[in-house]
Amino acid sequence: NRAEAIHAHVVSRREDNMLKVTHDGLLCGLDDRLVKTNLEIPCENVMRKVDACAEKLLQEYLADCEATHVVFCDFSTPKDRFNIYDELKDLLVAMGLEKHQVKIVHEATTETQRELLFDDCREGEVAVLIGSTFKMGTGVNVQKRLVAIHHLDVPWRPADMVQREGRILRQG
């Protein structure tokens, strides 16, 4: 409906445009609660990407409790309202992981805090590290115990995917 209104010039390009429609489509594909803010309570019997990711993570974690997993998500970073980072962390804690085992890289606001967080990942203190390509793409060396990278969304630029995969795929 929005695209048809744009093409028919019913709405101005400042009010709505195809780039906004595409972006909202990406958000909705990730989780419809990102677009429809009145959906605070999830619809029953709906499996969202974040639910599937949490189940997969827990299954893989239970198979190797000393491993670390990295989750990338660029389109729903931590905010004061609903976001995928907090949702995934809450789901994993509800499924049995300890709260201190699931970390969000955005919470480490200083270089010292980031280094401590990455040390914890390398030492097996962190089971799941959640972050964006910008925050975890370059210079994040947590691969010592890394067994899987989970992509909840796909970045716009192919080079960003290369950076994400570079956290686990290393020469030699």
Side-chain angles (χ1 to χ4, degrees):
N1 291 344
R2 288 173 60 194
E4 288 174 2
I6 291 164
H7 288 301
H9 304 288
V10 174
V11 295
S12 73
R13 293 205 186 278
R14 288 179 187 232
E15 187 179 333
D16 203 5
N17 58 59
M18 289 307 294
L19 187 57
K20 289 180 180 179
V21 171
T22 302
H23 181 71
D24 286 351
L26 288 169
L27 291 178
C28 198
L30 182 56
D31 194 302
D32 53 353
R33 293 172 287 179
L34 296 170
V35 179
K36 299 176 182 175
T37 56
N38 60 341
L39 293 177
E40 291 299 323
I41 300 171
C43 302
E44 289 188 38
N45 302 322
V46 173
M47 175 67 83
R48 294 181 170 88
K49 282 185 180 181
V50 69
D51 300 317
C53 183
E55 286 182 13
K56 179 81 170 164
L57 272 164
L58 186 65
Q59 177 185 22
E60 290 178 1
Y61 176 76
L62 292 175
D64 183 358
C65 295
E66 294 183 10
T68 300
H69 298 257
V70 170
V71 179
F72 280 100
C73 182
D74 290 350
F75 293 119
S76 178
T77 55
K79 297 175 181 68
D80 291 334
R81 59 183 186 272
F82 175 82
N83 66 82
I84 294 298
Y85 287 63
D86 293 331
E87 180 71 4
L88 180 58
K89 185 172 184 172
D90 292 346
L91 285 170
L92 290 169
V93 170
M95 291 175 167
L97 284 177
E98 298 292 327
K99 194 171 186 174
H100 71 273
Q101 292 179 293
V102 183
K103 296 290 185 178
I104 297 173
V105 74
H106 295 71
E107 294 170 351
T109 55
T110 68
E111 198 57 41
T112 303
Q113 290 174 338
R114 284 175 56 87
E115 275 311 310
L116 289 171
L117 173 60
F118 300 153
D119 284 344
D120 287 346
C121 291
R122 288 188 289 269
E123 296 304 316
E125 300 296 320
V126 175
V128 179
L129 180 62
I130 308 166
S132 65
T133 305
F134 181 75
K135 293 277 189 181
M136 292 195 313
T138 306
V140 175
N141 297 314
V142 294
Q143 68 275 5
K144 183 177 178 183
R145 295 177 188 268
L146 200 57
V147 294
I149 291 181
H150 305 267
H151 303 279
L152 281 174
D153 57 19
V154 179
W156 285 107
R157 300 176 303 183
D160 290 340
M161 185 59 84
V162 171
Q163 280 299 322
R164 286 178 171 195
E165 292 291 324
R167 300 312 95 221
I168 196 168
L169 301 175
R170 301 288 185 160
Q171 285 185 320

